[in-house]
Amino acid sequence: MEVQTQVKPQEKKEVTQRITGAEAVIKCLLAEGADLVYGYPGGAIMPVYDELYKFQDQIHHVLARHEQGAIHAAQGFARTSGKVGVTLATSGPGATNLVTGIADAQIDSTPLVCITGQVGSHLLGSDAFQETDIVGISMPVTKWNCQVTKAEDIPEAIAKAFYIARSGRPGPVLVDITKDAQFGELDFKYTKCKGVRSYTPVPKTDPESLIKAAALINEAKKPLIVFGQGVILGEAEEEFKAFIEKAGIPAAWTILGLSALPTKHPLNVGMVGMHGNYAPNKLTNECDVLIAIGMRFDDRVTGNLETYAKQAKVIHFEIDPAEIDKNVKTEVAVLGDVKETLNDILPFIQQDQYENWLKEFKELDTVEFEKVIKNELYPQKEGLSMGEVLKYINQETQGDAVIVSDVGQHQMMACRYAEFTKSKSNITSGGLGTMGFALPAAIGAKMGAPDREVVAIIGDGGYQMTIQELGTIFQTQIPVKIVVLNNEFLGMVRQWQQLFFDKRYASTEMVNPDFITIAKGYHLKANRVTKRENLAKAVKEMIQSPEPYFLEVCVEKENNVFPMIPTGASVSDVRLS
């Protein structure tokens, strides 16, 4: 009898390739779809740059003029594209120059992967040339970081970095790779990370929380929504719009939430916070239900916590459990991805209109217009105002532009007066308040949204902190439009000195260089406006230019931003003058 034996098919062997750790870094980036990186070379990252040279037809590298410029550009790219921004830097000062941008990205929830070179593993801890403990330094301001000392560990570390950076509440991660790991060899294979033990990026939503939240909303007489960047990061703009339109509830925004809802939407009642609009600030302490969506109750929003919305029942839609009850006690916490939770709660929400409540907002809007806005947009005095510059930018862009701002008076003016029709349009340094952010961030923002007009609004102080990035614009020819509102002061600090320090202007007056000459030195088109009759034409010329363009507007030196909530005061104490 013939015995048949079952022949097992040969198991398919996974094909691996023997490559260096440096080449593995590049292949990992390509596997993650990261074909654009910002950086600055140096000794400890040179092996990676050598491989980058070989892959330059697949990965575009933007050479910044300073590592801080590189990371802010990566932030701008991430904020407009919704992708992970990538930065390369060398060890020592190269790595430490990234720290401000990392901290900025951490507090503003921007997904970044920062790859730094490090001295050889045998030199770690020896105070070798350009050695710093960047893992220890960056630990408090990263979502996750690690050091890699063996070539074979590079793919897993980078896969984990991208997963952590983009999942859940996004943030910056840092991977520090020793030079011997870059030179070492490994059998390369890449598997994208799909989960990390003990890390739950999106908490499970309790269905009961949706029912409780809906009941509070439906019973409310004077509900108010305050929405933040979580709506944008969760790509929940349509769900949010459907929610507010069905509920009929007025919605106010934090500066990072700006542009999630079109500026002219009838339920958009303006900005909350220190320099926010009069109505939403005053009426925060009169609403009976406060619905926070994707925001973290920052102190600039709440003012004095002892008096903040004490009369209201608070509902908090949030992806990060650490934010619940951190600053403001909630009645109902709705944890989860806001795109899903807003969609899930919608069937439980009753269609409503709050005509009398909305009328209160409109009445206070009229007060603010007469006492503040009219004087800013249509000034009767000779000096130019910051607000009227934004007015002409709005006219030329029709609210379709991306506005990138630094920090200070110009930032508050940009947030207050820029108009937006699309999401991911207001790119600014929110939580950290980083001077020098706007110029490099505008470069990245334009690369992340190449089909959109990108206008950087910058003060003369912050502009000079990263002015060298004009060199990056010159080399790349990225057609960003740069507007410097020059009041020859560190304006926001000066305003505080005027109001709270008896006009003792200590170290805030600026003696500035000739910005036009500097711009022309970088071969940029440049113009200066000192008179109102030339402003509209200059803004139009700038916006219509297909090339990078620099516009300096000399504005009134001692103009202030109002409304204003003094530090430590209640939101009800918002001042109009």
Side-chain angles (χ1 to χ4, degrees):
M1 184 177 172
E2 190 177 341
V3 179
Q4 290 186 337
T5 57
Q6 192 174 2
V7 180
K8 291 183 179 180
Q10 282 190 337
E11 290 185 10
K12 208 173 183 180
K13 285 190 176 180
E14 193 169 2
V15 178
T16 59
Q17 185 183 7
R18 193 74 178 170
I19 61 174
T20 65
E23 186 177 347
V25 171
I26 305 302
K27 286 185 175 291
C28 291
L29 293 177
L30 289 170
E32 292 289 348
D35 56 0
L36 174 62
V37 297
Y38 301 87
Y40 203 94
I45 196 71
M46 208 175 293
V48 170
Y49 269 88
D50 188 52
E51 293 299 331
L52 194 60
Y53 180 83
K54 300 171 190 175
F55 284 85
Q56 58 188 296
D57 59 331
Q58 297 178 60
I59 292 187
H60 179 46
H61 177 269
V62 177
L63 175 64
R65 294 305 183 264
H66 189 284
E67 290 86 357
Q68 184 177 349
I71 194 164
H72 288 329
Q75 287 177 271
F77 171 80
R79 296 269 287 273
T80 56
S81 69
K83 299 176 182 178
V84 177
V86 180
T87 307
L88 296 176
T90 194
S91 63
T96 58
N97 282 342
L98 296 178
V99 172
T100 295
I102 293 172
D104 194 289
Q106 172 78 340
I107 201 164
D108 282 355
S109 303
T110 305
L112 296 181
V113 169
C114 305
I115 297 173
T116 54
Q118 184 56 273
V119 300
S121 57
H122 66 290
L123 291 172
L124 290 172
S126 69
D127 291 332
F129 177 67
Q130 290 194 332
E131 181 198 0
T132 56
D133 179 10
I134 192 60
V135 171
I137 290 168
S138 66
M139 189 174 290
V141 291
T142 48
K143 191 175 176 186
W144 177 74
N145 68 13
C146 72
Q147 186 173 78
V148 179
T149 59
K150 296 178 181 177
E152 57 263 34
D153 295 335
I154 288 173
E156 184 181 356
I158 292 179
K160 191 174 178 182
F162 273 91
Y163 173 73
I164 292 173
R166 64 163 67 101
S167 60
R169 180 180 179 176
V173 300
L174 182 140
V175 180
D176 191 44
I177 307 174
T178 60
K179 201 166 183 180
D180 51 326
Q182 296 171 52
F183 278 125
E185 293 188 344
L186 71 154
D187 293 321
F188 180 78
K189 60 179 181 178
Y190 192 77
T191 305
K192 283 193 176 185
C193 181
K194 295 180 180 178
V196 176
R197 191 175 65 178
S198 78
Y199 169 54
T200 306
V202 181
K204 191 175 179 182
T205 304
D206 178 6
E208 191 66 28
S209 69
L210 295 171
I211 295 168
K212 288 179 180 177
L216 283 177
I217 292 167
N218 292 336
E219 293 166 7
K221 303 299 181 191
K222 292 184 172 185
L224 174 63
I225 290 168
V226 178
F227 64 95
Q229 190 184 204
V231 175
I232 297 171
L233 294 173
E235 297 182 341
E237 293 90 345
E238 289 305 313
E239 290 79 3
F240 176 68
K241 188 165 170 280
F243 172 73
I244 67 163
E245 287 178 349
K246 183 176 182 181
I249 300 174
W253 36 269
T254 68
I255 64 168
L256 293 183
L258 175 55
S259 83
L261 185 69
T263 307
K264 293 184 178 178
H265 191 284
L267 291 171
N268 188 333
V269 294
M271 179 168 75
V272 291
M274 180 171 281
H275 291 286
N277 292 105
Y278 192 53
N281 274 323
K282 288 285 281 188
L283 297 178
T284 292
N285 281 358
E286 293 186 27
C287 68
D288 56 358
V289 174
L290 180 64
I291 306 147
I293 302 178
M295 56 86 74
R296 58 188 180 85
F297 290 112
D298 172 72
D299 66 295
R300 285 296 192 265
V301 166
T302 64
N304 186 348
L305 282 169
E306 296 299 317
T307 60
Y308 182 77
K310 291 301 179 184
Q311 79 295 335
K313 292 178 179 177
V314 178
I315 301 167
H316 197 170
F317 287 79
E318 180 58 49
I319 198 170
D320 185 356
E323 293 297 342
I324 302 297
D325 295 334
K326 186 174 83 174
N327 294 324
V328 172
K329 181 69 178 171
T330 57
E331 186 83 12
V332 180
V334 182
L335 287 170
D337 185 331
V338 72
K339 189 177 182 70
E340 295 176 7
T341 54
L342 285 176
N343 189 58
D344 291 345
I345 200 173
L346 200 60
F348 302 111
I349 298 297
Q350 295 172 4
Q351 196 142 10
D352 212 333
Q353 292 180 336
Y354 299 91
E355 291 181 9
N356 291 333
W357 178 227
L358 285 165
K359 188 179 176 184
E360 290 188 46
F361 284 89
K362 288 175 182 174
E363 288 171 353
L364 292 179
D365 284 345
T366 301
V367 173
E368 182 180 353
F369 182 83
E370 289 298 323
K371 293 193 174 181
V372 177
I373 296 172
K374 185 168 71 173
N375 297 327
E376 190 62 41
L377 297 184
Y378 309 99
Q380 299 302 307
K381 49 194 172 184
E382 184 179 342
L384 289 167
S385 73
M386 296 185 188
E388 63 184 318
V389 180
L390 271 300
K391 178 182 69 177
Y392 288 115
I393 290 172
N394 290 335
Q395 287 181 12
E396 291 301 320
T397 64
Q398 296 297 302
D400 288 338
V402 175
I403 302 293
V404 186
S405 57
D406 229 78
V407 63
Q409 286 183 317
H410 72 277
Q411 176 193 37
M412 293 297 101
M413 291 294 189
C415 290
R416 284 179 51 80
Y417 297 112
E419 294 176 357
F420 299 108
T421 59
K422 300 175 183 175
S423 186
K424 297 187 176 75
S425 295
N426 179 52
I427 312 302
T428 193
S429 174
L432 197 65
T434 304
M435 292 179 72
F437 171 86
L439 183 60
I443 297 170
K446 181 64 177 177
M447 298 181 83
D451 297 330
R452 300 185 65 189
E453 197 70 68
V454 174
V455 183
I457 307 292
I458 319 176
D460 49 306
Y463 180 58
Q464 293 179 81
M465 288 195 170
T466 50
I467 195 171
Q468 72 279 350
E469 298 308 325
L470 292 176
T472 308
I473 294 172
F474 171 49
Q475 183 165 346
T476 59
Q477 285 300 296
I478 300 299
V480 296
K481 310 301 165 60
I482 306 153
V483 180
V484 167
L485 302 178
N486 184 3
N487 59 8
E488 298 181 335
F489 267 109
L490 298 176
M492 187 61 85
V493 183
R494 185 213 55 76
Q495 178 169 335
W496 282 45
Q497 289 172 334
Q498 177 186 338
L499 297 177
F500 308 117
F501 293 87
D502 298 324
K503 293 189 177 182
R504 292 188 295 275
Y505 295 158
S507 302
T508 47
E509 190 161 9
M510 303 285 286
V511 178
N512 290 322
D514 185 335
F515 291 131
I516 300 297
T517 299
I518 292 171
K520 287 182 176 178
Y522 285 102
H523 303 278
L524 300 180
K525 284 190 174 181
N527 194 5
R528 177 187 290 120
V529 175
T530 59
K531 295 182 179 179
R532 182 164 290 112
E533 56 263 32
N534 300 326
L535 181 59
K537 183 182 176 183
V539 170
K540 185 172 185 175
E541 181 181 299
M542 174 187 72
I543 296 299
Q544 291 185 350
S545 172
E547 304 170 42
Y549 196 107
F550 173 81
L551 177 63
E552 177 187 4
V553 183
C554 299
V555 296
E556 195 161 307
K557 291 186 68 169
E558 296 187 68
N559 231 19
N560 290 330
V561 186
F562 287 104
M564 180 181 184
I565 301 169
T567 304
S570 167
V571 291
S572 300
D573 298 329
V574 55
R575 293 172 51 171
L576 290 172
S577 61

